[in-house]
Amino acid sequence: MSETTERALLAGGCFWGMQDLIRRRPGVISTRVGYSGGTTENPTYEQVKTGKTGHAESIEIVFDPSVTSYREMLELFFQIHDPTTLDRQGNDIGTQYRSAVFTTDPAQDGVVQASMAAYQAALEHAGKGGVTTEIGPLRAFYMAEDYHQQYLAKNPAG
């Protein structure tokens, strides 16, 4: 990262759809999909989809904070997936589809906590369930196979 960019690591279900929505956000410079939060080094998709690696399908986002803030990235994240379902997004079920934020520096932790509290308050006001989003420091990000990168941009009907 340069001094003019920041990095976010988010997981919220199938990474194809999240990447497609996030990459369109003003200020997003690049996105890569991969695997985070597990114990297996350099996992493959075939391993991750079993749910045995502990990894979540995740998105690495490099963005320009003068155009969009980390807080705004989190607001989008909470809006484009359901953080109230544990290990599930729609028909996708398993720990690899969990909601998670992997912080890349200590300053991000406070922003995540505040953002999640605000979203939880909005959910409670609407009579919805509690946020199950996992929050923790990024230990490793393993890039997914090439065919997963920008999948919906390459396969619009995917």
Side-chain angles (χ1 to χ4, degrees), residues 84-154:
T84 68
T85 55
L86 184 62
D87 298 338
R88 178 184 192 140
Q89 290 298 307
N91 292 330
D92 295 330
I93 300 171
T95 58
Q96 68 272 31
Y97 300 115
R98 70 186 181 272
S99 176
V101 177
F102 302 102
T103 56
T104 61
D105 69 57
Q108 287 184 344
D109 189 60
V111 178
V112 175
Q113 296 291 345
S115 180
M116 195 162 81
Y119 197 72
Q120 179 62 56
L123 287 170
E124 287 173 9
H125 185 262
K128 304 285 183 182
V131 174
T132 65
T133 303
E134 168 189 326
I135 301 169
L138 177 66
R139 293 187 307 269
F141 172 77
Y142 300 102
M143 195 165 89
E145 296 81 354
D146 285 343
Y147 72 93
H148 288 295
Q149 303 302 324
Q150 306 297 332
Y151 184 84
L152 291 177
K154 295 183 279 190

Side-chain angles (χ1 to χ4, degrees), residues 1-44:
M1 295 320 99
S2 74
E3 290 184 26
T4 59
T5 63
E6 287 186 30
R7 180 177 176 221
L9 242 300
L10 307 173
C14 176
F15 47 33
W16 293 347
M18 285 194 68
Q19 181 182 40
D20 197 53
L21 292 169
I22 290 171
R23 72 180 177 85
R24 299 167 192 254
R25 176 132 187 139
V28 170
I29 296 165
S30 66
T31 59
R32 298 187 310 167
V33 297
Y35 315 111
S36 302
T39 55
T40 302
E41 289 188 25
N42 298 305
T44 65

Side-chain angles (χ1 to χ4, degrees), residues 41-89:
E41 289 188 25
N42 298 305
T44 65
Y45 177 72
E46 293 302 313
Q47 292 171 313
V48 171
K49 76 178 188 177
T50 68
K52 295 177 182 175
T53 67
H55 288 287
E57 291 191 12
S58 53
I59 303 161
E60 178 190 60
I61 306 149
V62 176
F63 62 98
D64 179 344
S66 70
V67 178
T68 191
S69 69
Y70 184 63
R71 182 186 55 77
E72 290 169 323
M73 294 299 302
L74 292 169
E75 286 174 2
L76 175 63
F77 168 70
F78 283 119
Q79 291 172 12
I80 63 175
H81 83 292
D82 184 353
T84 68
T85 55
L86 184 62
D87 298 338
R88 178 184 192 140
Q89 290 298 307

